[in-house]
Amino acid sequence: MASRPRPLSPHLQVYRWQIQMVTSILHRATGVILTVGSLLIVWALVALASGPEAWGDFTGFAGSPLGFLVLFGWSWALAFHLVNGIRHLVQDAGVGYRIESFTTSSWISVVGSLVLTAIIWLAAMFLRGEA
């Protein structure tokens, strides 16, 4: 039996990056980030139930620059996953399968998540009086 070379599947180096690829990859990545980031919520709830000292440790981390970066990133991941998930629900209803619609809705997911994250953090800062 003669050995013929098998065809190779094209990979990311072959394709030109498009917003549809980016939103697909980001949707999966933000799902993982949300899963891992849920440990922060568990930490906060356990600390809250454990008393003032444990809660102080959590708020100390959350108020640090690293904590702010982690919480900000987690909130953006939540916003993106939410907006992009709504986009997928709309597409599941049979709307937006034309390439132009798909591209537009992908950009709306990215920009909308950034706007939603900014609104959430601005509201939180204004409510705390730190803005």
Side-chain angles (χ1 to χ4, degrees), residues 23 82-92 102 105-106 109:
T23 56
L82 172 70
V83 173
N84 202 49
I86 292 169
R87 178 176 77 98
H88 279 284
L89 284 174
V90 169
Q91 288 175 341
D92 287 343
F102 203 84
S105 66
S106 295
S109 292

Side-chain angles (χ1 to χ4, degrees), residues 2-127:
S3 172
R4 294 188 340 199
R6 296 177 57 175
L8 298 176
S9 297
H11 199 258
L12 294 177
Q13 300 93 332
V14 176
Y15 294 115
R16 185 175 54 92
W17 281 84
Q18 298 176 357
I19 188 65
Q20 300 92 322
M21 288 173 65
V22 173
T23 56
S24 178
I25 293 167
L26 281 177
H27 193 75
R28 289 171 175 85
T30 55
V32 172
I33 290 168
L34 290 174
T35 302
V36 173
S38 295
L39 296 173
L40 282 174
I41 294 174
V42 171
W43 179 22
L45 293 173
V46 169
L48 191 58
S50 297
E53 185 177 328
W55 180 247
D57 292 340
F58 175 77
T59 56
F61 170 75
S64 72
L66 176 63
F68 176 79
L69 183 65
V70 168
L71 290 172
F72 187 84
W74 190 83
S75 63
W76 173 78
L78 179 63
F80 179 80
H81 208 75
L82 172 70
V83 173
N84 202 49
I86 292 169
R87 178 176 77 98
H88 279 284
L89 284 174
V90 169
Q91 288 175 341
D92 287 343
V95 178
Y97 277 111
R98 287 192 348 242
I99 292 175
E100 299 82 19
S101 300
F102 203 84
T103 302
T104 301
S105 66
S106 295
W107 279 110
I108 289 171
S109 292
V110 173
V111 173
S113 67
L114 293 171
V115 169
L116 184 58
T117 303
I119 289 169
I120 290 168
W121 279 90
L122 286 172
M125 288 190 301
F126 277 116
L127 290 175

